[in-house]
Amino acid sequence: MSLIGALGSGLSGILAHQKAVETTGNNIANVNTPGYSRQTVKLSPNSAVEIRGRLIGQGVKVQEISREYEGFISSRLVSQSDVMGREGAKSAPLAQLERVFGAGENSLASDIESFFGAWHDLSLNPGGNAERDRVLYEGNNLLDSFEQTGGELVRIRQDIDIDLDAKVDEINLKIQEIADLNESVTSKESLGSMASSDRDRRDILIQELSEMIGVRTYPSGDGKINVQLHGGIPLVQENDAMVFESYRSGDSLSFRVKMGGSVVPLNRTNFGGEFGGSLDVRDEFIPELQQDLSRLKNELITQVNDRHEAGYGLDGQTGRPFFSDAGGGVFAVGLSSAREIAAAEGPEGAPGDNLNAMNMYGLFNAGVFDGNETFTEFAAKIVSKVGIESKQNAMALGGAKDTFTQLENMREAAVGVSIEEEMINLTMYQMGFDACATFVRTVDEMMTTVLDLKR
Amino acid sequence: MRATLGTNYRMLLSNLDRISGNMYQTREQSVTGKRVNRPSDDPVAIRPILHYRSQIEMSERYRTHLEFAGGDLELLDSNLDQLENIMVRAKELGISAISGAANDQDRQTFADQIGSLFEEMMHTANAQINAKYVFSGFRENTAPFSENPAYSSDNYDASDSTTWPVIYNGDGNAKTIEAGPEKPIRIGLTGCELFLGDADNDQAVDADGIDLFAVLKNFEYAIRGNNQAGMNNGLAQLETGAEQVRRLRSLMGNNAQRIEMAAEQFDEASVEFKEILSSYEDANILEVFSRLDQQEIALEAALNVTAKVSRLSILDFM
């Protein structure tokens, strides 16, 4: 081997170590970059050259700069993002619902109690004006309370729509970027180098997309990844990005995917992630509450009216409903004066007749629902339903977060950047670089010595 | 496992989050004094909490009602006391009138006195409490008794109200309230049963009843006319009448006692319900404070570790 050849080996070592130091530097620089996968330099010897029957090594080369990748954990992260997004999106509207159906002293149950309490007081003094006025007041108050609770439910559903609508653009950006990255990865890797940062970015985007709407992925060759919604509706097909759209149908927001010429409408089951969670609350849980609430209200109005119509007012009139439909399903106390309150059972409407007021109060303890639940018990059941849903959500969210953290840690452990490791690598590569440089200097000195022979 | 910078800080952060989240909850409990501040704090406890809260309201309302009713019954009793006195005085006058010592003039005086007792009874019968007539049944705004101008002692017929000395304008409904759910209790007497002996208000004196007004009137006439048989009969009727008043008075007395007992029961129940409610709803303050202490220590430890992690770096050794 010639000295020139030795210089070549030394140079290859210097260059290879320089690359290694650069890569380490890049790793360190990205220590806090989310989704970044550690890159490692793989060194391999240049193939030896046979010179006069001997194999002589030709130095070192950088075979590849590879990206550490843990496929199992990555796909778990995508599906766990889905779960976490779902539970996370539920917690805000559920917290609102908990406020609406409070456990405090101003609940629907306490308004029902006050209403019947007013009738109870009326039965003690059926002719009293103050008692009669209070019955009217509590009746209106109770209706207000129903109205307000129902209104809050509608408002929470609308808030969910506004929230979801605002995310549509962001989702489309992500879908488009994933498709672009698919293209970029294929074209870069066809030239033989690993498109590490593109792959990292794509992984992160998929994870974020999964947290928002819940996706499944599968590879499609050439390093491309296809992305689908639950139910197999494609969002990214190789280099093509579909268009995700929201539109109004009825009084709520619906979604669809446009691909090429066709439009696929989406339903709740197509979604996971934040959309899935929000839609679960919007289309399943809140409607259930609305149904319970209107059942409670209708039953209360019907029963109260039945008993009221059977009684007599101070003016001796009967058959008047206490609550009446003021149009459009909005109910109001239908009596024009407190005298019309039917506290009496006798047709005369005598001022001392409290029998119907007592009847009315009897409703408070009557098992109206399914033969055994009273109005307040039914109201309490609604509140407890909200509580159970919210508690389950809090527990599921806590669990999902823990699992996610655990997975992220596993990912970090497998492919993340450890400063200690990089610093030690840096030291190692630096020493290699130093040694190669020293080697080149030594060869140089040797060549000088050889050249000096002639003098 | 490789523990990277990210792993470490993520772990520290999630633990700090959890500890401070727990502390928030504990602090909320210590400030509000309540274990359940929103339905999700203990969904199972929600129904009992709302149930007992309404039971407390109900018990307190029942108690107030019963106290009012107790007050009304006391006033009623003083009216009945007056009535009994009238009956006793009428009987005394009757005995004096019937004795051989009385002459015509005495009898006229006695008769006049019975007449004024009649007026007094009329007054008692039209008594009011809180501007409501006591003895008019449900028609509490109507004066229950008025004198019947068509009355004459000769054609008095117990089974025909048009011949009675006094007309009843009330109705036959005695006021009833609940001494508890589905536990009705009478707190009033109707004028017709007390004064007229006509409990069913069918405008005919019942077989076991007697018209006090008619007794007095007829007695007065008997004395005036020195009708010995009438006077003897009147005296017996006075006794029957007094018995009618005593019977109803003791009925009301019993009810007053029942009401008092029911009020006490509700008082006790309300205390009991409050205790049960508290066991569902209230935080055990001692336990909350010691938990708060524990969590503060945990937070301090976590913060300490966090600070140490950032101080310890391989860079210091290179």
Side-chain angles (χ1 to χ4, degrees):
Chain A
M1 182 196 172
S2 65
L3 281 177
I4 301 290
L7 265 184
S9 292
L11 180 62
S12 74
I14 286 177
L15 290 177
H17 281 97
Q18 192 181 328
K19 198 82 213 159
V21 168
E22 276 169 23
T23 308
T24 309
N26 190 37
N27 282 344
I28 294 171
N30 281 299
V31 68
N32 286 324
T33 310
Y36 179 80
S37 306
R38 175 166 45 102
Q39 297 176 5
T40 44
V41 171
K42 285 217 172 98
L43 299 177
S44 69
N46 276 326
S47 44
V49 176
E50 189 181 332
I51 300 171
R52 287 192 292 278
R54 290 198 184 96
L55 283 171
I56 308 289
Q58 294 294 307
V60 66
K61 69 174 179 206
V62 175
Q63 194 190 14
E64 64 169 334
I65 298 174
S66 65
R67 163 179 176 261
E68 295 289 333
Y69 183 65
E70 185 31 281
F72 173 70
I73 295 174
S74 290
S75 73
R76 282 293 312 278
L77 274 171
V78 171
S79 56
Q80 194 61 34
S81 295
D82 181 345
V83 176
M84 198 174 70
R86 181 185 281 268
E87 298 302 335
K90 278 185 188 173
S91 56
L94 284 176
Q96 294 232 37
L97 287 172
E98 282 205 73
R99 184 182 49 74
V100 176
F101 294 95
E105 286 171 17
N106 286 320
S107 61
L108 204 50
S110 69
D111 286 336
I112 294 173
E113 148 81 37
S114 300
F115 174 68
F116 285 108
W119 279 98
H120 196 193
D121 286 346
L122 181 64
S123 77
L124 188 66
N125 184 15
N129 283 327
E131 283 83 353
R132 285 177 171 263
D133 284 344
R134 215 187 118 223
V135 167
L136 289 186
Y137 167 79
E138 293 291 351
N140 278 317
N141 198 33
L142 180 59
L143 287 179
D144 283 352
S145 181
F146 271 114
E147 205 57 40
Q148 204 182 340
T149 310
E152 295 259 28
L153 292 184
V154 171
R155 204 176 51 71
I156 292 172
R157 291 188 66 179
Q158 286 166 347
D159 285 353
I160 289 176
D161 279 351
I162 291 170
D163 183 47
L164 293 183
D165 206 18
K167 285 177 179 162
V168 169
D169 287 345
E170 197 185 337
I171 288 170
N172 277 319
L173 282 178
K174 288 190 199 300
I175 294 173
Q176 185 61 51
E177 201 178 343
I178 292 171
D180 292 350
L181 285 168
N182 268 348
E183 193 173 3
S184 156
V185 166
T186 312
S187 71
K188 280 182 187 162
E189 293 187 351
S190 67
L191 301 174
S193 61
M194 183 85 163
S196 304
S197 59
D198 285 355
R199 281 173 178 266
D200 282 347
R201 173 85 188 130
R202 190 175 59 187
D203 281 356
I204 275 288
L205 281 169
I206 289 172
Q207 201 176 305
E208 285 171 358
L209 194 60
S210 185
E211 187 171 346
M212 292 179 91
I213 53 178
V215 296
R216 300 274 176 274
T217 63
Y218 61 92
S220 80
D222 297 342
K224 293 187 202 299
I225 289 181
N226 286 345
V227 182
Q228 294 183 337
L229 282 175
H230 295 229
I233 293 158
L235 290 176
V236 177
Q237 189 85 34
E238 304 210 326
N239 297 344
D240 295 328
M242 312 301 157
V243 180
F244 179 72
E245 275 185 347
S246 63
Y247 64 101
R248 294 239 143 233
S249 75
D251 59 348
S252 65
L253 205 64
S254 297
F255 303 93
R256 62 190 170 205
V257 168
K258 268 190 182 165
M259 34 183 155
S262 62
V263 174
V264 181
L266 302 174
N267 60 40
R268 188 159 57 85
T269 57
N270 293 123
F271 289 104
E274 291 167 6
F275 270 60
S278 296
L279 293 178
D280 278 354
V281 175
R282 190 192 79 175
D283 295 345
E284 193 182 5
F285 191 58
I286 294 183
E288 208 176 295
L289 294 177
Q290 284 173 323
Q291 224 171 352
D292 284 347
L293 200 64
S294 69
R295 184 168 172 215
L296 176 60
K297 181 178 158 187
N298 291 341
E299 197 64 42
L300 193 121
I301 287 175
T302 312
Q303 299 274 356
V304 167
N305 279 352
D306 276 0
R307 299 216 175 177
H308 195 262
E309 281 165 20
Y312 292 82
L314 283 178
D315 52 4
Q317 298 288 314
T318 185
R320 277 186 295 232
F322 187 79
F323 297 114
S324 58
D325 194 339
V330 179
F331 277 82
V333 172
L335 305 177
S336 54
S337 88
R339 291 179 56 79
E340 297 185 357
I341 292 171
E345 196 178 59
E348 186 185 329
D353 189 345
N354 62 354
L355 296 177
N356 204 44
M358 281 207 285
N359 267 346
M360 188 68 92
Y361 179 67
L363 266 183
F364 179 65
N365 289 316
V368 180
F369 294 94
D370 307 324
N372 54 15
E373 271 178 332
T374 66
F375 290 115
T376 44
E377 276 167 358
F378 192 82
K381 199 168 82 171
I382 301 179
V383 179
S384 124
K385 199 184 250 183
V386 172
I388 289 170
E389 186 77 9
S390 184
K391 174 147 194 181
Q392 274 175 353
N393 168 255
M395 279 163 61
L397 181 60
K401 273 186 174 160
D402 281 352
T403 311
F404 190 78
T405 306
Q406 199 64 31
L407 283 169
E408 279 202 307
N409 284 346
M410 281 163 74
R411 200 196 93 94
E412 278 281 308
V415 304
V417 175
S418 149
I419 289 199
E420 286 80 4
E421 186 183 343
E422 298 303 328
M423 292 315 288
I424 286 164
N425 282 345
L426 187 64
T427 315
M428 188 172 79
Y429 293 137
Q430 187 190 7
M431 285 174 80
F433 185 92
D434 284 353
C436 290
T438 307
F439 171 69
V440 170
R441 193 168 61 236
T442 309
V443 173
D444 179 45
E445 281 167 9
M446 284 164 72
M447 285 175 81
T448 311
T449 310
V450 172
L451 290 175
D452 281 352
L453 284 176
K454 184 167 167 266
R455 214 166 269 176
Chain B
M1 179 170 148
R2 280 165 81 242
T4 66
L5 197 65
T7 322
N8 270 314
Y9 278 103
R10 193 174 300 117
M11 180 269 291
L12 290 170
L13 196 64
S14 75
N15 278 314
L16 282 175
D17 268 0
R18 194 176 52 237
I19 295 171
S20 51
N22 287 343
M23 275 183 75
Y24 172 80
Q25 212 176 8
T26 316
R27 283 189 180 133
E28 189 185 32
Q29 288 185 1
S30 65
V31 173
T32 61
K34 290 200 187 321
R35 194 174 65 82
V36 182
N37 289 295
R38 60 186 66 72
S40 61
D41 287 343
D42 188 352
V44 180
I46 288 300
R47 293 179 73 167
I49 286 174
L50 292 178
H51 173 72
Y52 285 113
R53 205 176 276 155
S54 112
Q55 290 291 308
I56 291 167
E57 285 281 316
M58 190 181 84
S59 308
E60 287 180 353
R61 210 174 41 237
Y62 268 117
R63 210 197 53 198
T64 319
H65 283 197
L66 293 170
E67 278 169 3
F68 267 116
D72 281 358
L73 278 173
E74 264 176 46
L75 292 173
L76 175 66
D77 192 62
S78 71
N79 280 320
L80 294 176
D81 193 46
Q82 269 175 25
L83 186 57
E84 253 194 271
N85 280 340
I86 292 171
M87 300 304 286
V88 169
R89 273 159 55 205
K91 195 173 162 192
E92 284 167 3
L93 286 169
I95 290 169
S96 310
I98 219 165
S99 74
N103 58 28
D104 271 359
Q105 202 175 355
D106 291 339
R107 274 193 290 276
Q108 292 309 316
T109 315
F110 289 138
D112 287 349
Q113 280 177 337
I114 297 238
S116 71
L117 281 180
F118 178 88
E119 295 303 320
E120 210 174 306
M121 187 186 280
M122 195 69 175
H123 195 72
T124 307
N126 283 333
Q128 284 178 300
I129 298 177
N130 296 330
K132 290 183 287 191
Y133 289 100
V134 183
F135 296 113
S136 56
F138 283 168
R139 297 179 186 165
E140 55 191 29
N141 293 343
T142 311
F145 294 102
S146 55
E147 280 192 59
N148 182 4
Y151 166 76
S152 110
S153 70
D154 304 329
N155 57 9
Y156 172 77
D157 178 2
S159 60
D160 178 4
S161 64
T162 56
T163 66
W164 297 353
V166 156
I167 299 172
Y168 180 56
N169 306 307
D171 61 22
N173 298 301
K175 186 168 184 185
T176 304
I177 63 161
E178 284 188 332
E182 312 286 321
K183 252 170 67 185
I185 188 165
R186 249 180 92 169
I187 58 161
L189 294 172
T190 58
C192 54
E193 66 176 329
L194 179 64
F195 291 96
L196 305 179
D198 176 18
D200 48 8
N201 199 25
D202 62 352
Q203 308 298 317
V205 175
D206 300 340
D208 58 348
I210 193 157
D211 181 344
L212 304 185
F213 289 110
V215 169
L216 283 188
K217 272 284 184 220
N218 291 339
F219 198 33
E220 183 190 337
Y221 275 95
I223 294 173
R224 255 186 236 291
N226 197 10
N227 175 349
Q228 205 63 34
M231 284 194 285
N232 280 329
N233 187 30
L235 211 53
Q237 284 185 330
L238 267 179
E239 186 44 51
T240 317
E243 178 55 33
Q244 175 170 310
V245 174
R246 276 197 296 273
R247 180 172 55 80
L248 292 172
R249 189 180 177 187
S250 86
L251 175 73
M252 286 297 109
N254 282 340
N255 283 1
Q257 214 165 9
R258 277 172 61 196
I259 279 174
E260 201 174 314
M261 272 161 58
E264 267 171 36
Q265 272 172 11
F266 277 114
D267 220 10
E268 283 165 22
S270 156
V271 171
E272 225 165 90
F273 289 147
K274 277 178 187 158
E275 273 171 23
I276 300 175
L277 177 65
S278 163
S279 76
Y280 276 107
E281 186 182 46
D282 291 347
N284 177 349
I285 288 298
L286 282 178
E287 190 254 319
V288 168
F289 279 124
S290 76
R291 191 142 43 90
L292 200 57
D293 273 352
Q294 264 176 17
Q295 284 166 348
E296 271 169 9
I297 290 167
L299 183 66
E300 214 171 296
L303 288 172
N304 253 325
V305 171
T306 312
K308 278 213 176 98
V309 165
S310 62
R311 273 206 301 273
L312 194 63
S313 163
I314 191 173
L315 299 174
D316 294 338
F317 301 94
M318 298 192 86

